Amino acid sequence: MTTTTEEGLWARCYHPAPDRPRRLVCFPHAGGSASFFFPVSAQLSPVAEVLSVQYPGRQDRRTETSPSDIATMADQVYAALRGRLGSRPTAFFGHSMGALVAFEVARRLEADGGALTHLFASGRRAPSRYRAESVHRRDDDGIVTELKLLAGTDASLLGDEEVLRMILPAIRSDYTAVETYRCDPGAAIKAPITALTGDNDPKTTLEEAEDWRAHTTDAFDLRVYPGGHFFLGPQAPAVLALLRAHLTAQECAR
């Protein structure tokens, strides 16, 4: 049985809101940590309790080995959080690698008889859309170059060798997980999906984002924002408004 300690290890609740009727679980990108979603938690705590997933291998979990495949990551996240996912209507939001982890956790939740109100898949092409990529095979300098290209990591951290030694093993594991991930084109969840993408994202074309449509048996929506892979920063007000609208909608009461 999942313990409270395990739940707290895997999911951080920066603004506890036990009286809120709804919950949003956020899944970070490759190399990302739960604190990436601290601003989301702060902004949405009046309408929902926000949980941010903390993967192994980073921040206070930096001594742990991060799984190098999406299936194992999803298994571990679901095992840790399954006791909380059914307690109130819950939506998932995942960015980049987090979108894949969220999708796979949603599949496990539904297979176990649970339900999700919505999946927001951000900054990631559809699970069935494959590209031959090998960032995880590069040397450390090559991985740092990729991080700078995507502009998802503070440049000051990239110049600190001590910090790099701590975070690069987790980043390499994350890239291995993403780049070796394969999904059956017919894999679908019952929950509605909204795909969010930047119009200048080198990792996701509009067509690749649109193909998330094939992975739900319910409604699908595509939202396109100005920006690249990390459009979430400059487009935060619009994305937060989208999430707030869902979390306050009557359909979430089901």
Side-chain angles (χ1 to χ4, degrees):
M1 180 175 179
T2 304
T3 68
T4 302
T5 299
E6 290 170 354
E7 291 175 356
L9 189 66
W10 280 90
R12 309 302 160 86
C13 186
Y14 296 113
H15 303 88
D19 58 334
R20 301 294 184 267
R22 303 167 185 93
R23 176 180 287 126
L24 177 69
V25 182
C26 298
F27 298 77
H29 53 281
S33 59
S35 60
F36 180 79
F37 290 107
F38 183 93
V40 174
S41 176
Q43 290 293 318
L44 297 181
S45 60
V47 298
E49 183 171 74
V50 179
L51 299 181
S52 301
V53 174
Q54 183 76 307
Y55 307 131
R58 59 219 76 203
Q59 292 185 331
D60 59 330
R61 302 190 69 185
R62 62 182 177 273
T63 60
E64 301 177 49
T65 300
S66 182
S68 58
D69 66 279
I70 297 295
T72 299
M73 182 78 82
D75 286 342
Q76 293 179 354
V77 172
Y78 182 61
L81 300 187
R82 63 189 301 175
R84 299 182 71 174
L85 293 179
S87 61
R88 66 184 96 171
T90 298
F92 287 173
F93 181 97
H95 183 70
S96 194
M97 180 186 81
L100 297 180
V101 180
F103 175 69
E104 289 295 339
V105 174
R107 292 179 68 188
R108 286 152 176 74
L109 174 64
E110 291 186 349
D112 209 18
L116 197 67
T117 64
H118 212 99
L119 170 63
F120 294 91
S122 169
R124 181 67 195 181
R125 55 190 176 271
S128 55
R129 292 298 295 263
Y130 171 71
R131 290 188 190 183
E133 296 175 317
S134 57
V135 174
H136 69 281
R137 295 192 180 123
R138 298 181 188 176
D139 61 15
D140 290 352
D141 288 343
I143 292 180
V144 171
T145 298
E146 178 73 7
L147 296 176
K148 289 179 177 178
L149 173 67
L150 297 180
T153 303
D154 188 328
S156 66
L157 295 181
L158 298 179
D160 187 321
E161 290 188 8
E162 184 177 357
V163 173
L164 280 175
R165 281 197 296 271
M166 289 190 296
I167 67 174
L168 279 175
I171 294 173
R172 190 181 297 280
S173 290
D174 289 351
Y175 269 101
T176 301
V178 170
E179 294 176 348
T180 60
Y181 175 75
R182 302 291 184 273
C183 180
D184 185 333
I189 59 174
K190 299 175 183 177
I193 294 178
T194 295
L196 300 82
T197 189
D199 62 4
N200 193 33
D201 186 348
K203 291 293 186 180
T204 305
T205 67
L206 297 187
E207 292 77 14
E208 288 171 329
E210 171 72 30
D211 281 353
W212 276 97
R213 180 186 301 273
H215 296 283
T216 175
T217 59
D218 205 307
F220 172 79
D221 187 24
L222 175 64
R223 301 294 181 103
V224 182
Y225 300 88
H229 189 63
F230 282 90
F231 66 89
L232 289 180
Q235 300 303 321
V239 175
L240 286 168
L242 174 68
L243 294 174
R244 188 177 292 108
H246 168 74
L247 293 167
T248 56
Q250 287 298 316
E251 70 176 41
C252 285
R254 68 175 185 236

